[in-house]
Amino acid sequence: MFRSSSLLLLAAVLVLGSVAADVVNFVPCADSVDTCTINEVRVTPCPEAQRNVACNIRRRRPSQMSFDFTPNFDADSLEASLGWAKSETEELPLLTLDRDGCKYASCPARSGVKATYTIDVPIEAKFPLSPYTIRWALKDPASGKRCCFTIDIKVVR
């Protein structure tokens, strides 16, 4: 009995440790600091997060990305965007991303209510092997207010 409960405890610790490894560093976008709080960002798989370095994202293998956010605005719908942040104002969008944020987060979004957005992001074979700063955003199409942040990734084989 002691041995099986010890093995179960060890397995639980390993699972919990691997889940915690997915939490990554992020930088809120300057224009959304007052309109939204990004609570936590996760990328799965991302063992590199334990070392606080960019996640190695493999081509042709989907990665799950999710984040917890608390908007300071109400929105009946949310538009999602994800793109390579070439500068503060210039972005190259990921065209294959489903833009309907409500499919992956609870809508309507309510001011002060924490929510989670989770999506599988396909990394196509044609993506160049390179490091990127990517910008995520969920925007209220009516007001233009958004929840936005950037993270660093590295597309690898």
Side-chain angles (χ1 to χ4, degrees), residues 140-152:
D140 171 21
S143 70
K145 294 179 180 179
R146 68 183 189 157
C147 296
C148 176
F149 63 91
T150 61
I151 63 171
D152 292 324

Side-chain angles (χ1 to χ4, degrees), residues 53-66:
V53 298
C55 297
N56 287 335
I57 305 297
R58 300 209 178 278
R59 291 192 299 190
R60 289 183 260 180
R61 294 191 187 144
S63 291
Q64 186 178 78
M65 298 185 186
S66 67

Side-chain angles (χ1 to χ4, degrees), residues 31-32 52 79 82 91 99 102-103 113-114 123 154:
D31 70 338
S32 71
N52 291 321
E79 283 181 0
L82 169 64
E91 181 175 308
R99 303 278 183 237
C102 293
K103 288 182 182 177
V113 178
K114 186 176 175 181
I123 307 301
K154 185 175 182 181

